[in-house]
């Protein structure tokens, strides 16, 4: 698609030029201002303008990336011995270490931070010392000295709400809601 973009731009510019020239080709008398040729020329100009608009705009995302750290992270692939690491981690408000946010595992006393060595680590306390039981170097995680290929850490989407238990989940990652409508007072 990247290689086609310059060609597409040229085609759209040519269409815009054609529309501008066609407007001159459909010159009508002042008495005949509501002719079909006038409407046709206007339509061609509008189509060309709409087509050229995206071609001249710079490549940019539709929405700007959010600033700051994500409020929550999700860890997957934790080893059985440290299974409590798996799950949702929430940012600790007002707490930073090495100019980066600190996260705490929801319901556990595990903290995720950037250590003094410049890598991520998980520890039982908030410390910059490079001695966490789980450490990351160049994207590779080791937990208790063992390399884990499937250990993943990723931001949780803003609209995602983790269910407290499987019974509360609808099966699609969203909590299920139920309510009872009040009875009609006119019914017996």
């Amino acid at each position: 698609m990247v290689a086609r973009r310059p060609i597409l731009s040229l085609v759209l510019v040519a269409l815009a030029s054609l529309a501008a020239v066609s407007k001159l080709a459909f010159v009508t008398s002042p008495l005949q201002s509501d002719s079909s040729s006038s409407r046709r020329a206007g339509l061609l100009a509008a189509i060309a303008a709409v087509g050229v608009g995206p071609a001249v705009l710079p490549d940019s995302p539709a929405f700007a990336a959010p600033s700051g750290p994500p409020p929550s992270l999700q860890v997957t692939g934790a080893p059985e011995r440290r299974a409590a690491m798996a799950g949702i981690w929430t940012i600790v408000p007002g707490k930073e270490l090495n100019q980066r946010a600190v996260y705490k595992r929801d319901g556990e006393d595990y903290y995720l931070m950037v250590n003094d060595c410049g890598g991520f680590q998980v520890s039982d306390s908030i410390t910059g010392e490079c001695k966490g039981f789980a450490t990351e170097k160049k994207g590779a995680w080791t937990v208790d000295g063992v390399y884990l290929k499937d250990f993943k850490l990723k931001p949780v989407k803003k609209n995602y709400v983790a269910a407290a238990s499987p019974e509360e989940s609808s099966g699609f990652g969203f909590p299920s809601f139920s309510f009872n409508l009040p009875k009609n007072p006119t019914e017996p």
Side-chain angles (χ1 to χ4, degrees):
M1 184 70 187
V2 176
R4 291 183 184 177
R5 188 151 178 92
I7 294 171
L8 179 62
S9 297
L10 289 174
V11 168
L12 293 175
V13 168
L15 281 174
S17 301
L18 179 63
V21 171
S22 68
K23 198 153 181 90
L24 297 174
F26 297 109
V27 175
T28 60
S29 73
L31 299 175
Q32 194 182 17
S33 62
D34 191 29
S35 71
S36 63
S37 61
S38 170
R39 286 182 292 202
R40 191 174 345 147
L43 180 62
L44 282 173
I47 290 171
V50 169
V52 171
V56 268
L57 293 176
D59 289 333
S60 63
F63 300 101
S67 62
S72 300
L73 301 172
Q74 182 176 18
V75 170
T76 57
E80 192 173 311
R81 182 172 181 271
R82 299 278 189 176
M85 287 177 55
I88 304 298
W89 295 66
T90 306
I91 200 166
V92 179
K95 199 66 149 167
E96 283 189 355
L97 187 62
N98 293 319
Q99 301 176 350
R100 302 287 294 270
V102 174
Y103 291 84
K104 182 181 184 298
R105 169 66 172 99
D106 294 355
E108 301 291 333
D109 286 327
Y110 290 152
Y111 298 91
L112 172 70
M113 67 218 85
V114 174
N115 60 25
D116 296 337
C117 299
F120 288 104
Q121 76 176 14
V122 176
S123 180
D124 297 329
S125 62
I126 299 173
T127 179
E129 294 179 46
C130 307
K131 61 177 188 170
F133 62 82
T135 57
E136 174 269 340
K137 288 184 184 173
K138 297 182 181 178
W141 280 88
T142 58
V143 178
D144 296 323
V146 177
Y147 166 74
L148 297 175
K149 182 177 99 175
D150 295 327
F151 190 89
K152 303 287 183 216
L153 177 69
K154 60 184 176 183
V156 175
K157 292 183 180 178
K158 210 175 213 181
N159 295 336
Y160 175 80
V161 179
S165 67
E167 293 81 32
E168 294 179 24
S169 175
S170 63
F172 297 105
F174 297 103
S176 60
F177 299 98
S178 64
F179 60 92
N180 295 322
L181 293 173
K183 291 187 178 193
N184 188 345
T186 59
E187 289 182 7

